[in-house]
Amino acid sequence: MEGLKVSDANLVVFLHPSKSNRVSKAVLHELSSHLFQFSEIFDGVLLAYDVDIVDRNAKLLSGIHPYIGVRLKAKLLLFSPKPNMLIEGNVVKLTPESIHVIVLGFASAVIIDEDVREEFEYRTKHGKEVYRSKAHRRHVIEVGTMVRFLVKR
């Protein structure tokens, strides 16, 4: 699937001096706070990381509240979809106006009816909502279906 990428990063993590006795644990805690959240720093959502602390001698940064700067190298797994990328997702809800999809188990996406191919029409039969193809009767989109779609924005 497009949108997933592995990046090698040289980072500096700033830690409070009270964390100086457990630097490794503090670095992991700081990186963990960025998991599954969009970050402009990484230009995507951080899904996983592997860290090596480069310099065991941290530098004390001066200021009102001095912090310790720890340099590290990290391998990051990022989810960063861009326009015109092909993404897969699991359908979780259907309405006459939209198809709601979960991508990678955490990110939601909505495909509005204007973007659904014209061959599909919304139907409710026996309380079950589906988008059914006019050309191929057995081709349906229902809750639980895996769909591929292009990212618009």
Side-chain angles (χ1 to χ4, degrees):
M1 173 173 42
E2 294 182 65
L4 287 176
K5 65 180 178 181
V6 175
S7 296
D8 292 320
N10 294 318
L11 302 172
V12 177
V13 176
F14 299 105
L15 305 173
H16 192 272
S18 65
K19 311 277 186 192
S20 64
N21 58 346
R22 292 190 223 145
V23 172
S24 296
K25 185 176 178 182
V27 165
L28 294 176
H29 183 269
E30 186 64 31
L31 286 174
S32 293
S33 70
H34 292 284
L35 286 173
F36 299 106
Q37 297 177 0
F38 180 81
S39 173
E40 289 185 19
I41 297 167
F42 302 131
D43 189 31
V45 177
L46 180 63
L47 300 179
Y49 58 84
D50 184 27
V51 177
D52 282 329
I53 296 176
V54 174
D55 191 1
R56 294 282 177 193
N57 298 322
K59 295 182 181 175
L60 189 62
L61 306 171
S62 61
I64 297 173
H65 299 287
Y67 275 77
I68 298 169
V70 179
R71 292 185 325 127
L72 50 101
K73 287 188 176 203
K75 195 172 276 281
L76 309 173
L77 177 62
L78 300 169
F79 176 61
S80 181
K82 303 286 186 233
N84 297 321
M85 279 188 173
L86 193 61
I87 304 292
E88 289 182 353
N90 193 16
V91 176
V92 292
K93 182 180 177 183
L94 296 170
T95 68
E97 297 84 26
S98 60
I99 298 172
H100 297 258
V101 179
I102 297 292
V103 179
L104 295 175
F106 76 94
S108 67
V110 177
I111 305 167
I112 58 175
D113 63 341
E114 297 168 1
D115 297 327
V116 176
R117 291 192 315 219
E118 289 189 16
E119 75 175 86
F120 286 96
E121 63 182 358
Y122 177 81
R123 288 217 173 145
T124 304
K125 195 169 192 177
H126 304 298
K128 190 175 179 182
E129 301 168 318
V130 296
Y131 273 86
R132 178 165 295 190
S133 172
K134 296 174 192 173
H136 306 283
R137 287 224 178 264
R138 297 178 71 192
H139 190 181
V140 296
I141 299 172
E142 58 190 2
V143 173
T145 304
M146 191 67 98
V147 294
R148 287 190 184 133
F149 58 95
L150 284 175
V151 175
K152 283 184 92 173
R153 58 183 168 99

